Amino acid sequence: MTAVTDNASITEYTEEDYNKVIAQYPDDARARKFLNEFDSTQLTDINMITESQSLWTISPPQKMLLIDRLSQIPITTPLQIYFRWNVKRSDPRDGGIQYATGETSAYFTQENMDSMKVIVQASIAGTGLKDPGNKNIITFGSQTQATTLEIADMMPKFLHLTATSAAVIPVDLGLPAIELKALSLSLKGHLSTTDEVESMWWELAGAKGENMMVCYSDKVSPKMLQPIVDYGVVGLYLGVVLVVGNIFRNLYAGLFRKIQLGQLQQVEKLHQLLNDISLVRELGEMNLEEDLFGKLVYAYRSPETLLKFTKKNL
């Protein structure tokens, strides 16, 4: 089944409502820290519309297969039910729409299996309780047997809509806030003038009529400020330091190899020595070349000797 809640079923908190929420946690430092991150404009009540937006369509063979699965004693392959929520809100980063999603799930207990079996069998037989206000609407089941399917621990009381498109249960609020509420499911049908079932749909309501969730919605920053939100001020600072540091490192990389050569006062002697080495190499004077080359290596191995060798004569 799919249930949709529109803006008419969403109520924003006032400042007075927000203060009442804060007052519920006088001694819980963790909860108050979480609540202080929001203001009254970020809290809303979502009153869920219980009627399914879509019809329940299932073929007769699949209904019989479902009844067989529900008749397991003991349960060998338990059925699992999911409760998913998808909250839509505007996204100021690009003017589009952002969806925050989440889900809970539970396995059918033996009581759930029995109740579901009664409801499905009643839908096949077309028996149930007629709506006093509309004789064309029937709730499948009977007065002596189940007409509703009660599933524990399914619906959250509170949701935290994060800036990263997640809708999670705010654990910082602690118990009993994070406890899940039970759901009550009933299968409705529409009867024709001849009392034949024309269509069927599921109806959803929280146990004891509680079908409301409170949403704490994080503010979404504009796209220009998103890096600060994602990484924080410290992350932004480290990013700037790394970028600037990398620029300076590349700018001065290898400079220590050039400083001693760039500070030489007079390089004519070095130039003459290199010319002499080239000349004796052409003449084949290997011994003399070795002596001259040794002198060049000795000068370059010692910066002090190199400075003395190239010092200007006054």
Side-chain angles (χ1 to χ4, degrees):
M1 63 166 291
T2 303
V4 179
T5 299
D6 54 16
N7 290 335
S9 301
I10 299 176
T11 307
E12 294 185 356
Y13 271 49
T14 63
E15 193 66 31
E16 183 181 356
D17 296 330
Y18 176 73
N19 292 333
K20 289 181 180 178
V21 174
I22 294 289
Q24 295 175 10
Y25 303 91
D27 302 319
D28 193 333
R30 184 179 179 184
R32 293 182 71 90
K33 180 181 178 181
F34 172 78
L35 293 171
N36 287 335
E37 296 177 357
F38 303 90
D39 55 42
S40 60
T41 61
Q42 295 173 261
L43 273 66
T44 53
D45 281 337
I46 299 180
N47 190 12
M48 296 188 60
I49 296 176
T50 59
E51 293 80 9
S52 176
Q53 197 180 39
S54 57
L55 297 176
W56 190 48
T57 55
I58 182 172
S59 65
Q62 287 297 314
K63 272 190 179 181
M64 300 308 298
L65 179 61
L66 179 58
I67 291 175
D68 289 341
R69 290 280 301 276
L70 295 170
S71 302
Q72 302 175 65
I73 299 178
I75 300 174
T76 56
T77 310
L79 298 180
Q80 189 173 13
I81 184 170
Y82 292 88
F83 179 77
R84 296 188 177 96
W85 52 88
N86 192 354
V87 184
K88 182 175 71 172
R89 60 180 177 177
S90 60
D91 190 345
R93 291 174 293 191
D94 55 9
I97 300 297
Q98 184 187 55
Y99 292 92
T101 60
E103 72 173 26
T104 58
S105 63
Y107 286 100
F108 275 25
T109 63
Q110 186 63 61
E111 182 180 356
N112 295 149
M113 301 277 275
D114 295 339
S115 299
M116 185 70 173
K117 180 180 177 181
V118 170
I119 293 172
V120 175
Q121 287 176 332
S123 70
I124 296 175
T127 58
L129 304 179
K130 289 188 177 182
D131 190 336
N134 188 343
K135 298 299 183 180
N136 292 329
I137 303 298
I138 185 174
T139 301
F140 294 109
S142 68
Q143 291 181 343
T144 57
Q145 293 178 303
T147 57
T148 58
L149 177 63
E150 298 284 346
I151 306 173
D153 301 331
M154 285 296 294
M155 182 178 174
K157 300 176 183 178
F158 300 91
L159 287 180
H160 178 199
L161 310 183
T162 68
T164 56
S165 301
V168 298
I169 299 172
V171 295
D172 289 338
L173 293 179
L175 296 173
I178 63 174
E179 292 179 343
L180 299 175
K181 297 185 292 186
L183 289 181
S184 174
L185 289 170
S186 59
L187 185 60
K188 302 284 186 176
H190 185 270
L191 302 177
S192 66
T193 54
T194 58
D195 282 347
E196 293 183 359
V197 179
E198 293 182 328
S199 57
M200 293 181 293
W201 66 92
W202 288 96
E203 188 174 280
L204 167 70
K208 299 179 182 179
E210 297 179 357
N211 53 7
M212 184 177 293
M213 291 189 294
V214 179
C215 287
Y216 297 83
S217 180
D218 284 347
K219 289 184 177 180
V220 181
S221 302
K223 192 173 183 179
M224 182 177 62
L225 300 178
Q226 195 59 34
I228 299 178
V229 176
D230 292 340
Y231 304 106
V233 176
V234 175
L236 182 64
Y237 172 77
L238 290 176
V240 172
V241 169
L242 290 175
V243 170
V244 174
N246 189 53
I247 292 174
F248 277 98
R249 186 175 61 210
N250 292 334
L251 184 63
Y252 296 106
L255 189 60
F256 71 94
R257 298 187 181 92
K258 304 175 184 177
I259 290 177
Q260 63 177 358
L261 301 179
Q263 297 296 323
L264 297 178
Q265 299 179 9
Q266 191 175 6
V267 296
E268 285 78 3
K269 291 183 180 180
L270 283 176
H271 187 261
Q272 184 60 46
L273 180 58
L274 293 172
N275 287 336
D276 291 344
I277 293 174
S278 179
L279 179 61
V280 297
R281 183 176 295 168
E282 291 180 2
L283 296 176
E285 296 292 338
M286 301 301 178
N287 292 332
L288 183 56
E289 179 187 355
E290 183 180 358
D291 294 339
L292 294 175
F293 196 80
K295 185 177 181 181
L296 179 65
V297 172
Y298 177 75
Y300 271 94
R301 278 182 175 176
S302 173
E304 183 180 0
T305 304
L306 188 59
L307 288 175
K308 289 180 179 180
F309 187 65
T310 57
K311 187 177 182 180
K312 290 183 178 180
N313 295 325
L314 300 178

